[in-house]
Amino acid sequence: MEARTPESPDPDGRAPESRAPEGPVSRRPGSRRAGRVARLALCLAPVLFAVGWALAHRSVMEEGVRRLVAADPGWLLAAAGFTCLTWVAAACARQGALPDRVPARLLLASQFAAGAANHALPGGLGAHAVTLRFLRGQGVPPARATASIGLYSLAKPTAKTLVLLALLAVSPARDRFGDLVPDGRLLVPVAVAVGGAAAVAGSLLLVGPLRRPVTRLLRSALTDARLVHTRPRRVLALWGGAAALPLAQAGALACVGTSLGLRLPWEQVVLAHLAAGTAGGAVPAPGGLAVDAAMVWTLVALGAEPAMATATVIGYRVLTDWVPLLPGALVLSALIRAKVL
């Protein structure tokens, strides 16, 4: 009985089918072209969003820029320096919340780009999304990356509240902040919000399909939090960066107010920023609109003229958010193009 060779026909007389050589399957030109188009769209999206945001708020930007042009340039330069310190503080806090070490320069660039993404989503979700993509690109596991964002989100308001309480304890202007405490009527929506958050958390733990992944994520977050707090450098980076971030932002506000002629002591401006950020940060509004309104109200309550308080907050927002918006969008596009995000 003869053995069949690859060239011999099948018993039914049909010629054997030719097999394609084994090896990596090459992509079709159409799929490569679609991938390039999608990447180009992702790179251009932040820039287009920045331009659209500027056009939608053209009148506000023109007013803020007009007042900034007439302001003292030296104090504006100091405010720009404080603004740069905010990105450094945020990068330090992000690294402190993560047991793994990531490249410092890329982390700083991602935080600068996260400022542009923060205008699109409320409650800092844009910055968290950019940071999550960055950490995943650096090889950090999803559970650990998510846990670090949760620890950062917890440390940031906690440190801000502690700094506010410490400054109130030593400031002679603490008596004037008694009038800023909300009355009982405003406590009702706060209680509703807290109850809603508790209900959502309870439902996540009670629903069967969600209980296991949520429990696993919480267990991973607690493990990483304990690990981070066993390393003094991580503790210093996390809590030092979280405390320095609101102080740098308040310093920028004070410099802008001084450049425009705001007649309030620096300590009161810093306290106003911390109090407004603590109260207005609970309202999930894009671009910090709730914080801006709270800052204007707090400055007026401390004795500033309404027009000057409004101009100070507008100038602060233009200098710290809207001026870096286009460069931040370009950095975000560059990071996407370089496959860092």
Side-chain angles (χ1 to χ4, degrees):
M1 181 176 181
E2 296 182 358
R4 291 176 55 196
T5 61
E7 291 81 6
S8 60
D10 290 339
D12 56 359
R14 290 181 302 176
E17 296 180 357
S18 60
R19 296 182 178 179
E22 296 181 357
V25 180
S26 60
R27 289 186 176 182
R28 296 180 180 179
S31 62
R32 288 200 298 265
R33 190 180 302 110
R36 286 196 298 267
V37 171
R39 183 167 295 277
L40 180 61
L42 288 175
C43 293
L44 292 179
V47 180
L48 295 177
F49 175 77
V51 174
W53 180 274
L55 292 177
H57 299 80
R58 183 173 54 187
S59 60
V60 178
M61 290 194 64
E62 289 177 353
E63 177 67 17
V65 171
R66 185 180 66 82
R67 291 184 177 272
L68 287 176
V69 169
D72 188 347
W75 285 110
L76 292 182
L77 185 61
F82 276 109
T83 302
C84 294
L85 289 179
T86 60
W87 302 317
V88 177
C92 289
R94 294 284 189 185
Q95 177 61 85
L98 186 70
D100 306 280
R101 186 173 181 82
V102 294
R105 293 183 179 180
L106 290 179
L107 178 60
L108 182 60
S110 69
Q111 295 310 294
F112 179 62
N118 233 14
H119 288 274
L121 297 175
L125 296 180
H128 293 332
V130 172
T131 303
L132 181 61
R133 292 289 300 175
F134 169 74
L135 296 180
R136 293 292 296 119
Q138 298 302 315
V140 180
R144 174 161 288 182
T146 307
S148 71
I149 291 176
L151 181 58
Y152 172 86
S153 302
L154 179 63
K156 184 178 174 182
T158 303
K160 180 186 291 186
T161 304
L162 293 176
V163 171
L164 174 60
L165 294 177
L167 291 179
L168 283 176
V170 299
S171 175
R174 59 180 178 270
D175 296 335
R176 306 188 63 179
F177 278 81
D179 299 333
L180 301 178
V181 178
D183 54 11
R185 292 175 300 176
L186 294 180
L187 294 179
V188 176
V190 174
V192 172
V194 173
V200 171
S203 63
L204 291 177
L205 294 176
L206 292 178
V207 176
L210 297 178
R211 182 172 58 250
R212 183 173 298 176
V214 171
T215 304
R216 185 164 53 249
L217 179 60
L218 291 177
R219 188 181 299 112
S220 176
L222 292 176
T223 302
D224 289 346
R226 286 194 298 266
L227 179 60
V228 162
H229 285 84
T230 59
R231 303 176 181 180
R233 291 186 178 181
R234 291 291 190 271
V235 174
L236 179 61
L238 173 62
W239 293 102
L245 180 58
L247 290 177
Q249 294 172 339
L253 178 66
C255 288
V256 172
T258 304
S259 68
L260 295 174
L262 181 68
R263 297 180 180 179
L264 280 180
W266 269 48
E267 63 174 25
Q268 295 187 15
V269 177
V270 172
L271 287 173
H273 182 279
L274 294 175
T278 303
V283 181
L289 297 179
V291 177
D292 291 347
M295 277 195 292
V296 173
W297 181 62
T298 307
L299 290 174
V300 172
L302 290 175
E305 299 179 358
M308 185 57 66
T310 304
T312 299
V313 174
I314 290 177
Y316 164 79
R317 190 59 66 186
V318 169
L319 185 65
T320 59
D321 281 359
W322 296 340
V323 170
L325 182 59
L326 183 57
L330 293 176
V331 172
L332 181 59
S333 299
L335 293 178
I336 294 175
R337 190 171 185 82
K339 299 182 180 180
V340 177
L341 299 180

